[in-house]
Amino acid sequence: MVLALEFPPINEILRWRDLFPTFNKVALIAVAASLISIVIFLLAARKDGLKAPQGVRNLAETIVEFIEEQIIMPTMGRHGMGWTPFLLSLFLFIYLCNLPGIIPILYMPATARIAIPMFLALLVWVIFIGVGFKHQGPAYIKNSLFPPGVPGPLYILVAPIEFISTFLVRPFSLTVRLFANLLAGHILLVTFSLLTEELVQGDSLVLKPVGILPFFMLMFITAFEVLVGFLQAYIFTILAAVYIGGAAHPEH
Amino acid sequence: MLTAVVTRGLAVEVRFVTVEEEGEEHGSEKMSYEESKDFCEFPYETEEEYEAEASAAHPCLEGPSPLAVEVKELAWGAGAFVVLALLMRFWLFPAVKKGMDARYALIRDGHEAADTARGAARAEVAEYESALATVKAEANERVDAARQTLESERAARLAEVNAAIAAKREAAAAEAAASRQAAEADVASAATEVAARTIELATGKAPDAAAVRSAVEASMNAGVSS
């Protein structure tokens, strides 16, 4: 009787041998994400922009319009258009780091390790604080910690809460949201892959047909991870836009 | 009783084994130095060091938590992103956006030209409709004038024809009256002759012609009047 399936430690399912010293699979995916983005826009830029966009140019323009219309306009308005290249890079990089989680052979989202989400979150944190000081000067701190319209005595409560939520929790939440979602998805994929394999290849004739159930779950979760990969890239990018836009124009 | 354990090689594998086998599995789980070195980050530099210090468990199992930041991943990830962001900022995005803006401007110009052409066309249509209305009004005036002319000409011709008909009718009536009078005179003359002859034959003497004629005419007139 089968009592349990011991699952490999998380360290192990996320650990890959170095392709060469100081360069592992996560680094490979990050570099590939950057290169793929560059190649897409390089090929798009070489096509005649005056003609109706097709192929890779259409793809690039669709992504640009998505960033401008769905992320920048609702959060920062027209004066946020200058942030399009950064937010475009952020979205593409995160999405292409998420996507290998469902690509056969790779099967590893680079964002399921904490280094890249943490770097991106800290970068956004540095940028929105910098933007806040650039646009508001030292008053940025005062405006952030003491929002107008709050009764004076409540500032005793509000100021620490604002400090924690704005300056401490934001990078942490950005990091954990992306990292944990992708890690959880990766663990689910590994779980159902291993379970399917073990049930189908096992000796028990009774358990072999049961292997179809985790296989269907594997298919479902794979499809779900396509959505999660896109959604997490979108959420990270739109929150970055909200933070930057809020720091530049606190009245919004 | 069966339980399940994981065995580890160059790839993650699982299989079900008995509890008794589990101890043996763990006992023989230690991988060779070469396998372990290829599999993950490895803290041992020589095989002797590995054999002496590594436990039976695979050294990779003792790896850092997934929450721990790997410097190489951070460095490569950051480098890759910074390169992408800089290229996107100074080269790739402006190149794509320039084409988009040029096309949008072209489309906008096309729209404006189309709007201008549409306005001109509408003005021309209005002008045409105005001219058409003028021509129609003029045509109506001419038709009305022609109709009046025709009507007056028709009335004049009708009057002429009616006059001619009346004249011909009067002439015919006069002619008929003359013929009738002539016929009546002839009849009266014949009747007078017949009456005079009849009287002459009856009386043996010729009657007064004037009296007979007067009697015949009186008789004929009495017959007409009655």
Side-chain angles (χ1 to χ4, degrees):
Chain A
M1 189 174 81
V2 177
L3 291 180
L5 179 69
E6 183 187 329
F7 192 78
I10 290 173
N11 292 359
E12 191 168 340
I13 65 170
L14 293 173
R15 176 173 289 287
W16 299 86
R17 68 177 187 177
D18 287 358
L19 302 172
F20 57 81
T22 76
F23 192 84
N24 62 5
K25 198 169 186 176
V26 170
L28 173 69
I29 292 168
V31 171
S34 183
L35 282 177
I36 290 169
S37 306
I38 291 168
V39 168
I40 288 172
F41 274 79
L42 196 59
L43 292 176
R46 293 176 66 174
K47 297 209 171 184
D48 185 2
L50 293 177
K51 291 181 180 171
Q54 287 181 328
V56 72
R57 171 122 201 150
N58 193 25
L59 174 67
E61 290 194 8
T62 302
I63 299 169
V64 169
E65 285 184 352
F66 171 73
I67 297 293
E68 288 182 342
E69 301 298 327
Q70 303 299 324
I71 291 180
I72 294 178
M73 286 304 289
T75 57
M76 306 169 83
R78 186 152 295 282
H79 48 254
M81 287 298 175
W83 288 97
T84 305
F86 173 71
L87 296 172
L88 180 64
S89 307
L90 199 60
F91 175 79
L92 274 174
F93 187 72
I94 294 172
Y95 181 61
L96 292 176
C97 282
N98 293 347
L99 208 55
I102 52 165
I103 294 176
I105 300 174
L106 288 173
Y107 276 133
M108 174 68 197
T111 41
R113 303 274 300 178
I114 203 166
I116 290 175
M118 191 191 74
F119 164 72
L120 295 174
L122 287 175
L123 183 64
V124 169
W125 182 70
V126 168
I127 286 175
F128 83 72
I129 290 177
V131 167
F133 276 107
K134 182 184 172 191
H135 284 82
Q136 303 177 48
Y140 170 58
I141 297 292
K142 183 176 96 46
N143 294 337
S144 299
L145 301 185
F146 302 98
V150 178
L154 280 182
Y155 280 128
I156 297 167
L157 282 174
V158 170
I161 290 171
E162 286 292 327
F163 176 76
I164 291 169
S165 66
T166 303
F167 297 106
L168 300 182
V169 171
R170 278 182 179 182
F172 178 76
S173 66
L174 274 179
T175 304
V176 171
R177 185 182 299 108
L178 179 59
F179 159 72
N181 271 288
L182 272 295
L183 177 62
H186 187 59
I187 290 172
L188 280 173
L189 287 174
V190 172
T191 303
F192 286 104
S193 300
L194 295 180
L195 196 54
T196 304
E197 183 191 14
E198 175 58 21
L199 289 172
V200 170
Q201 293 187 348
D203 297 331
S204 170
L205 290 175
V206 178
L207 290 178
K208 275 180 186 293
V210 181
I212 197 73
L213 297 176
F215 177 73
F216 278 133
M217 277 304 292
L218 180 62
M219 294 297 104
F220 170 74
I221 291 172
T222 301
F224 187 63
E225 282 302 303
V226 177
L227 175 68
V228 169
F230 173 81
L231 205 59
Q232 289 305 319
Y234 173 69
I235 289 171
F236 195 103
T237 311
I238 202 167
L239 284 175
V242 167
Y243 296 159
I244 294 168
H249 301 280
E251 68 276 12
H252 292 170
Chain B
M1 184 163 50
L2 281 172
T3 183
V5 296
V6 179
T7 60
R8 302 169 185 87
L10 290 176
V12 176
E13 294 174 0
V14 289
R15 65 188 177 91
F16 296 112
V17 296
T18 62
V19 174
E20 291 74 26
E21 287 172 335
E22 186 177 348
E24 296 171 18
E25 287 286 338
H26 275 298
S28 61
E29 194 177 336
K30 186 171 179 180
M31 296 168 66
S32 71
Y33 173 72
E34 289 301 324
E35 284 176 333
S36 299
K37 192 172 67 173
D38 286 342
F39 187 52
C40 66
E41 284 182 39
F42 201 60
Y44 310 108
E45 292 189 357
T46 63
E47 186 169 359
E48 290 73 25
E49 190 182 353
Y50 170 71
E51 293 297 338
E53 297 185 16
S55 63
H58 193 284
C60 295
L61 295 179
E62 307 302 325
S65 158
L67 287 170
V69 177
E70 293 252 11
V71 175
K72 60 189 167 197
E73 291 172 7
L74 183 66
W76 281 104
F81 178 75
V82 169
V83 168
L84 170 64
L86 289 176
L87 286 176
M88 199 65 88
R89 170 69 182 83
F90 293 107
W91 182 32
L92 299 172
F93 176 73
V96 172
K97 189 67 178 170
K98 186 180 169 188
M100 289 172 73
D101 289 343
R103 193 174 69 252
Y104 291 162
L106 197 65
I107 291 169
R108 206 163 36 246
D109 290 347
H111 277 297
E112 286 172 4
D115 286 342
T116 308
R118 191 182 296 120
R122 280 181 179 156
E124 282 183 15
V125 168
E127 191 179 340
Y128 164 77
E129 285 176 349
S130 169
L132 188 65
T134 307
V135 168
K136 276 184 179 173
E138 192 177 337
N140 284 337
E141 282 176 12
R142 287 186 181 185
V143 168
D144 287 343
R147 191 179 288 131
Q148 284 176 356
T149 305
L150 277 176
E151 191 64 28
S152 60
E153 283 180 3
R154 189 179 72 85
R157 287 295 305 274
L158 197 61
E160 279 179 20
V161 169
N162 285 339
I165 289 170
K168 283 185 178 178
R169 189 182 288 148
E170 284 176 8
E175 189 177 348
S179 298
R180 185 178 166 207
Q181 284 180 349
E184 282 177 355
D186 288 343
V187 169
S189 175
T192 302
E193 279 181 17
V194 170
R197 183 63 183 157
T198 301
I199 292 169
E200 184 180 355
L201 286 175
T203 61
K205 60 177 184 182
D208 182 19
V212 172
R213 186 173 187 87
S214 173
V216 167
E217 285 178 355
S219 174
M220 286 178 67
N221 289 337
V224 171
S225 64
S226 63

